[in-house]
Amino acid sequence: MIDFIWLIIALPLLSAVLLHFLGRYLGEPLSGWLATVAIGASFVFALVAALPFFEGGAEASTVPLWEWMPAVGASFEIQWDPLSAMMALVVTGVGTLIHVFAISYMHGDERFARFFTYLNLFVASMLTLVLAGNYAMLFLGWELVGLCSYLLIGFWFTRPSAAAAAKKAFVVNRIGDFGFMIALMLVFTSFGTLSFAGVFERAPEVLTTGTATAIGLLMLVGAAGKSAQIPLYVWLPDAMEGPTPVSALIHAATMVTAGVYVIARSAAIFELAPAASMTVATVGAITAIWAATIALAQRDIKRVLAYSTVSQLGYMFLAVGSTAYVAGLFHLMTHAFFKALLFLGAGAVIHAMNGEQDMHKMGGLLKRMPVTGITMGIATLAIAGIPPMAGFWSKDEILGAAFERGGWFSVLFVVGLVTALLTSFYMSRQWVLVFLGEPRWSEGVDPHKAPRLMGVPLIALAVLSVLGGLVNTPFRYTLEHFLEPVFEGISVQHPPEGIGMFLIVAGLSVVAGLVGAAAALVTYRQPASSWRRFEEGLQPLWGTWEDAYRVDDFYGRTLVAPGKRVAEVMAFDVDLAFIDGAVNGIAGFFLGLGQRLRPLQTGYVRNYAALLFAGAVVVVAWLLAGGGL
Amino acid sequence: MVDPGLYMTVAAVLFFIGALGMLVRRNALVMFMCIELMLNAVNLTLISAGRAMNDLNGQVAVFFILVVAAAEVVVGLAIIVAIFRRRSTASVDELNEMRG
Amino acid sequence: MLTALILAPAVAAIVVALIPSRRAELHLPLGIALSMVPLGLAGYLFWIFEPMPGYQHATDAVWYEPWGIGWTLGVDGISLPMVVLTALLVPIALGASTSISKRIKEFVVFILLLEAGMIGAFLALDMFLFFVFFEAILIPMYFIIGIWGGERRIYASIKFFIYTALGSALMLAAIIGLAFNYSSQFGVTSFALADLMQVTLDQGTERWFFAAFALAFAIKVPLFPLHTWLPDAHVEAPTAGSVLLAAVLLKLGTYGLLRFNLALFPEASVDAVPIMGTIAVIGIIYGAVVAIVQPDLKKLVAYSSVSHLGFIVLGTFALTSGGLQGAVIQNFNHGVTTGALFLLVGMLYDRRHTKAIADFGGLQKVMPVFAGFFLFMTFASIGLPGLNGFVGEFLILIGSYATVPVLAIIASFGVVLAAIYLLWAYERVFTGEPDKEENKVLVDLSPREIGLLTPLAILVLVVGLYPAVLLDKIGPSTEAVLDHIESSTDFEVPYPGRLDDVFTAGGDS
Amino acid sequence: MVESFVFVLMAIAAIAGAVTVVVARNPVYSAIGLLGTLFSVAVLYVLQLAHFVAAVQIIVYAGAVLTLFLFVIMLIGVDKDETRTENLPFQRKAVIALGSVIILLAAALALFTDFQWVPGASEALIPDSTNGTIEAIAEPLFTSWVLAFEATALLLTISAAGAIALAHYRKRDI
Amino acid sequence: MQTPDVNWLAIAPDLALALAAAIILLVEVQWKPRARILGLIAAGSLVVASGLAVVQWLAAADAVAAGNVSVLSAFSGMVLMDGYAIFGRFALLVVTAMGIASGWQFFSDLGRRCAEGLALVLLATTGFSIMVSSNNLIMLFLGLEVGSIALYVLAGLTREDKKADEAAIKYFLMGSFASAIFVYGVALIYAGTRQLTILGIGDFLGSFIVGSPGVILIGIGLVIVGLGFKVSAAPFHTWAPDVYQGAPAGIVGYLAGVAKIAGFAAMARILLTAVDDFDWSFLPVISGIAVVSMLLGSVMALVQSDVRRMLAYSGVAHAGFILTGIAGSSSDGILFYLAVYAVQLVGAFAVVAAVSGPSGSSSDIGLYRGLSRRSPVLAGSLTVLLLGMAGLPLTSGFVAKFGVFSDAWFNGHEWLVVVAVLASVIAFAFYLRIVVIMYMEDDDAAPIAVPGLVRWVLGIAVLATLIWGILPGSLLNIVADALPL
């Protein structure tokens, strides 16, 4: 079994290759189904392969495939342990559902097959990332998912905004990768290998705190890029230019969690660098509240979800930064369920509204699309942390861990709590704006029920959003035990012991969730004019939030524009005018010298004779002087 | 007797004058005469040096240089005449079409 | 074997030259067919090449004995990839030249001569012989740019020629100087690399010679600030010229640094690590920054070459296994990807007769296959893992951190910039709606063009995923270079992972 | 004593003749100056026992060459005197500079070094050894120098052929 | 009573040429034959002379092998029959043959003066041949004058163009001036050493220490100047551009080639054999002249618009490169360079003559526009020859440059070599300029017909350039034996 573990990656990859070359002949919807089956098979295979871990006691194993760059310790090898199994299952599981949804969603697109090619490629890449046995291969997956993200955001390339967003996503990710790359340099220089096994085993003896902190912080830079944390989160909202299934799969459920995964994976290094961990947590917490406030004021249904994703990722960072790795991963999983559901639901809504994304132009859709409405409602409750939904358990565990950690983390705990309140508010606001109240549709829009095929994944995810949390409750820490072997020998922060503390933390978070939800409900159940007044009343804060603190603008003015200016100066003033000018100048110098010397050749014999005679005098004088006379 | 060096000094002066003449005169004929002056200086040098060293070869060499001078004169004058007949001038200053 | 490899294209050139000009339709197909011979030979050479240090299939014939010059050839893991690449790209470059209408015969002849020269330069193990090839290459390239080039072809070709010749002139002086030192130390004159490596030089002389060699190769690479001939040459050169220029000719510079500077002047090389590294890194960043705003696609790719080749030089002077292996394999990779990019730009130019980015837009819609290839090569060039560019850059960056950590860090920022300039260009050329009328009627790639690109694309993938194909053969040779440096200087090649290195490495952060 | 007197006289005459060649504005005067120099130099030859050469000097130079010169002068006209204005760039400055440099150089050589015209000069002159009679000259001329002597034939052939070729040309051309 | 020390073999080739010249003149007077007949006589004499030179070569080789080098000195040490002289002579013969063949149009157009023209060429070659073989400085001067006077006439030997007059008078006046300077130098060396033979001077200076060598130094200086003029080294080069431009196109290649060969062969022999004990004093001067020549020649050539003038300045630069060989004290390097360069030069001027046409005196660079279309043969040959002159690898020019440069370096003149390589880069620029115009610019002017003889000349020149470039041993092995006595 384990020898064929590479099939998990190979199946979607193979499907991608097939679709690339044959997709055009397979047509719609066959190519979609092929892709779905490939992922599904991958899921089943992963599930079977993971069974030993459920039973406990199974050893993590590393399966070498082939050499890649031995000189820097890079090879193709698969790490199969509970952590990668969990990630693989989440990726393939959620992926399968989203594929099913996409078959319906992408109906009629002229590049239907190509879409599934990319989607499959993405899944393969993501699996490479999570199954990698060393940092180099992880980086391979890391970059490939970036590529797929680029391709899929820019899928509708004829829209300039989509193309620009795709490029932005890739470039911003590259900036993060820059940090990650340096981290890898440090790792290799310190260990002489990049393989997880080698690094983690020897980390305590090899790494000084300084180096470990440096590596940790650099990994944070990389993770911040991929997982859209401050200050590199700006690409994610724009990434919503891609088709909605892409947003669901890549920019909510899987790819963006890669950063969390990496930090969890590198726990052994962070173990030696508490400062780095604390930075991770802090960045996470700040991102969480920062993005939550922005999400409050968004009108675009997908943008709300995008900022919400950023915010939730912040939670995960807060978790892994607090060394509550299990909590972080747990939230990663539950978030995958409910956020994917939210995106798919939003996709269905947009689909139904003929592409309309402005929530101000929605309303009252519950009657038209009950399945979508209800499933999204469940997801909203889940993200708001209302028990017994999945989100409640995971979020509670994060807050509990932070709370338990104390000290600076107590501050982060409070931030987290406030964020929970805000989350609940804006999610409820969204649901209410979309599904309740009077219809504010544009003319000609006639929302229709989601096709049945779209409904299936919605329902499946809704079930998972409800039940998913049960894998790790204070009553039964299944996931914790499942992942235990991974974090062996590492001090993992656990939620507070005892039911009392649990109730305090849970109570606070539930209260926050309920208050937020209630506030939103109260505010946005009223007619549009009234909540508009409410939003007006919060100016200018509301506007700032709506404009996302104008960070894009800020980056544009402080980085992009000056950067471009520098490039122009370099290219035209320095390169063309100065350097090339100098080159031509030297050539011109000789030409000019020639022209300058031409008059010497006057054409007069007597001048020639004078020159010759002068030459003779010089020669003779030189000889005499050289002869010492 | 006179030191051969003095003869050679006279020869050097002749050579010098001849050379300067090449530079200041523009009549091709006179320039050519200056060359004859220079050759004479050479001859005088050879004879004086040969005498100082008890060597007759200096004088033999002079004989050949005289022949060369004569042959040069023939050709040189032919060229000058040829140019004069086309351009009606013997001034080399008017021959500067080619330059640069 | 190696002699045949050099002579095959030369003979092919003669054969083509003998076909009368009026049979113009024959020249190109014949040239392509004949260029398959060296390709086959190179492939066979690759197949039988044993992964071990030292030169293989060496030939050593006396050329002119009193001068100690010889027809000394040999191939090792450093030159092997370049030979294969050259042999591969020539048929492709010829295949991409169907749009050339004037003097096709001469064109084919020059390309084939160029091939002979390039292969010769990579195989030569005699400094005299190397110099002969190194300089002889200029002639066909000069004509290729000058006759079949664009508007400012004459300026570009002369600039290319003089600039390159300037560098090699001083190298010639240094070669003579080396031979002089050899003959005064050993009593016989020789220009063989193996002999000259035994010369002991005093520090000053060695540094001067190093500088002369380095200048020659730096111009060829080209390193900042000696690079300005490159954009001009590329912009003006015909497609085949650009391809071979970028893919092979520039590599002579990096190859030369690796093969000759390190071998002949180990002491000076070690001392020059900070200088060469800094220049390389400036080139990486500078080339990338300048590429961002270039209005011309070819110029953009040309500047990207400046940036990418900086990596190779950095890797070379990192003096670590990773760095050297990366440099060698990146030589190959850059040839493949940039060669392919120039091919693509050329195909675009054939259709639209412009290379200005502003003239395009929305091409992906009308030419999806073309766009696909372009994007693929773009990502290979950006250094996307799984594609070949990454292998080289990763090896170089990781490898160079051990010796020049700060430079390695700055260099990695070049990777970010690469994404910016290439993707921005892609965005402007391919995405959006095709708004210009001329662009709406463009036809997608023909099977011939796809056939030209496919081998390169396959190489990109194969090397990206299974670089052992090359690395296995490169490794022993690069280790030999390092051994040579270690044995002739105090320098110790850092092998990360040994505990005693850890603390120094840790202190750098 | 006689030698010294004649030497001084002839040296002055030779130099004066040479100066005349250079400064005379009319080529005829230059030719006359040249004649003076040639003659004086011939005397200087005689002073040094180079009798044969002196004779040749008079016959060939004064007799033939100078006649030729005068002939050509007459042919191309003597009506135009040269002006003294220097119309060439740098020429006058160059001449002055060169002249001064050479004089300075010569002075330096004479004053500050032990410059010797004939460093290998014999202590004792053997007059017979350099008594340039016809016989004395003839012997080396036709033995060790015979090839050079024959080579002069080439020179004469060239002069003849050259002169013909150049003159020929006018006949058809004008 | 002494008898002349006659060695017919030593002068046999020269004799053949001189006789042929005489025959041509006489035949012309008597029968007024067609030009072709005269040409055949000249050609025959060249063949015979070459054959005799080969015989000389073999004899000299035997003598050297037998250790009996004294027989190589003939006519009481007046001339030498050493390999150096024979090689130089052979080179002169080849250049003469190529010169006559490529300028045949010019000669046959001379009409009745064809005989004089041919005779002058043969006599000039004889003179220069004497010059390279003579051991006696006066003999050398005689040879120099024989050659030079013939060339003065040849330079003016055209009826179409006023430029030829100007060329002739400039060449004549400057040449005579330089000759006078040269011979004064000879006289001063004689005054210093009591020797007139090159070997004698060498022996004398080798065995005695001259207490006050000033006069010898001045003599060396003047000899350098005089011969520097012949080879057009800067700053004694001023005549070259004007003469190259003004003289008849058909003759310039010959004129330039033989003057360079003879001038340098003589200079190298004098400096490296006769006064080599003073090399510490004159080598810096030679290096200085070399540097000035290389740089001035290259830079001035850059800005010329007349191909002949450009080639003249390039010749100045080449003089500098060859002087580098003298700084390297390598007579074989110089000989190789001379042979290579002279062949290229004659070939290049053959193209120039063909492009300028039988009557044309202009060789403006504009005439070469699109030459690759109008006459691929001319353009292709000129390209190879120019690249050869530029010294690109795989041409003989590169081997030649490499040879003299490495000799100079080995002789301790590193900086001279550095300057030389840089100057050769500047030189690339103007050679390329012509190539550019021929290949990269188009013109619709009429095609140019290339006479068969010119084709042959070009073929030989191109082949020689390539073969000696690719297999330098083919000539270098010969040159290595062509050592001065």
Side-chain angles (χ1 to χ4, degrees), chain A residues 13 24 66-74 76 110-111 114 118 135-136 139-144 146-147 150-151 154-160 163-168 170-171 174-178 181-194 202 205-208 210-212 214-215 218 563-572 574-576 579-581 583-584, chain C residues 155 159 163 224-229 231-232 286 289-295 299 303 321-323 325 362-365 375 379 382-387 390-399 401-402 405 408-416 418-420 423-424 426-427 430-434 463-468 471-472 496-499 501-503 505-509:
Chain A
L13 186 64
R24 147 164 55 135
W66 67 84
E67 284 294 323
W68 195 13
M69 293 172 276
V72 293
F76 282 92
E110 53 183 317
R111 296 168 74 231
R114 183 51 48 91
Y118 293 161
Y135 279 111
F139 194 63
L140 166 75
W142 182 266
E143 290 281 304
L144 283 180
L147 165 75
Y150 171 84
L151 292 171
F155 187 75
W156 287 316
F157 59 86
T158 50
R159 297 210 305 237
K167 180 196 65 187
K168 182 176 179 184
F170 196 85
V171 170
R174 272 266 149 156
I175 294 170
D177 299 344
F178 168 59
M181 189 80 200
I182 299 169
L184 294 196
M185 292 178 193
L186 269 171
V187 168
F188 179 73
T189 314
S190 307
F191 293 92
T193 177
L194 290 174
R202 288 174 55 217
E205 47 174 315
V206 168
L207 288 184
T208 58
T211 317
I215 295 174
L218 288 164
K564 201 169 165 215
R565 182 82 199 108
V566 165
E568 276 165 359
V569 168
M570 287 289 210
F572 303 115
V574 176
D575 201 62
L576 267 187
I579 297 180
D580 204 30
V583 172
N584 289 330
Chain C
Y155 168 76
K159 190 173 180 180
Y163 214 139
F224 174 88
L226 306 169
H227 61 277
T228 51
W229 64 269
D232 285 322
Y286 180 87
V289 169
V290 171
I292 294 174
V293 290
Q294 290 304 319
K299 254 192 169 163
Y303 277 105
S321 306
Q325 287 185 21
L363 292 191
Q364 193 173 352
K365 189 158 189 179
L375 192 62
F379 273 107
I382 289 175
L384 187 80
L387 305 182
F390 174 74
V391 176
E393 280 176 8
F394 193 73
L395 279 165
I396 288 167
L397 289 176
I398 304 278
Y401 185 85
I409 289 171
I410 302 171
S412 13
F413 197 70
V415 179
V416 178
I420 294 175
L423 290 183
W424 193 37
Y426 184 86
E427 180 189 340
F430 289 95
T431 65
E433 286 287 347
V463 177
L465 290 173
Y466 191 66
L471 286 178
D472 282 353
R498 286 189 309 202
L499 275 177
D501 285 332
V502 166
F503 301 103
D508 285 322
S509 57

Side-chain angles (χ1 to χ4, degrees), chain A residues 402-423:
Chain A
F403 180 79
E404 178 76 3
R405 191 80 189 267
W408 168 248
F409 289 89
S410 308
V411 178
L412 303 182
F413 166 76
V414 174
V415 173
L417 208 56
V418 174
T419 308
L421 177 84
L422 295 173
T423 307

Side-chain angles (χ1 to χ4, degrees), chain C residues 81 107 133 181 197 226 297 452:
Chain C
F107 183 79
F133 283 123
N181 279 289
M197 277 167 73
L226 306 169
L297 263 183
L452 295 174

Side-chain angles (χ1 to χ4, degrees), chain C residues 183-333:
Chain C
S183 83
S184 56
Q185 283 166 31
F186 293 86
V188 280
T189 312
S190 171
F191 284 86
L193 178 63
D195 288 337
L196 296 183
M197 277 167 73
Q198 297 164 16
V199 174
T200 36
L201 297 169
D202 63 80
Q203 195 188 39
T205 316
E206 183 173 349
R207 287 187 176 179
W208 276 115
F209 287 175
F210 177 90
F213 272 70
L215 180 69
F217 295 134
I219 289 175
K220 198 85 177 181
V221 168
L223 284 177
F224 174 88
L226 306 169
H227 61 277
T228 51
W229 64 269
L230 184 70
D232 285 322
H234 269 314
V235 169
E236 301 305 331
T239 304
S242 285
V243 170
L244 292 177
L245 181 63
V248 187
L249 253 69
L250 306 187
K251 303 310 178 323
L252 280 172
T254 48
Y255 170 80
L257 286 172
L258 179 48
R259 164 73 83 231
F260 299 113
N261 277 49
L262 294 189
L264 292 170
F265 319 111
E267 195 81 51
S269 298
V270 170
D271 295 343
V273 163
I275 299 168
M276 295 300 288
T278 307
I279 294 172
V281 168
I282 293 176
I284 293 172
I285 301 297
Y286 180 87
V289 169
V290 171
I292 294 174
V293 290
Q294 290 304 319
D296 181 297
L297 263 183
K298 263 192 159 180
K299 254 192 169 163
L300 189 143
V301 183
Y303 277 105
S304 87
S305 287
V306 174
S307 179
H308 282 125
L309 287 161
F311 278 105
I312 301 179
V313 175
L314 176 66
T316 304
F317 283 91
L319 301 180
T320 59
S321 306
L324 285 188
Q325 287 185 21
V328 176
I329 201 167
Q330 189 69 353
N331 262 342
F332 183 84
N333 292 337

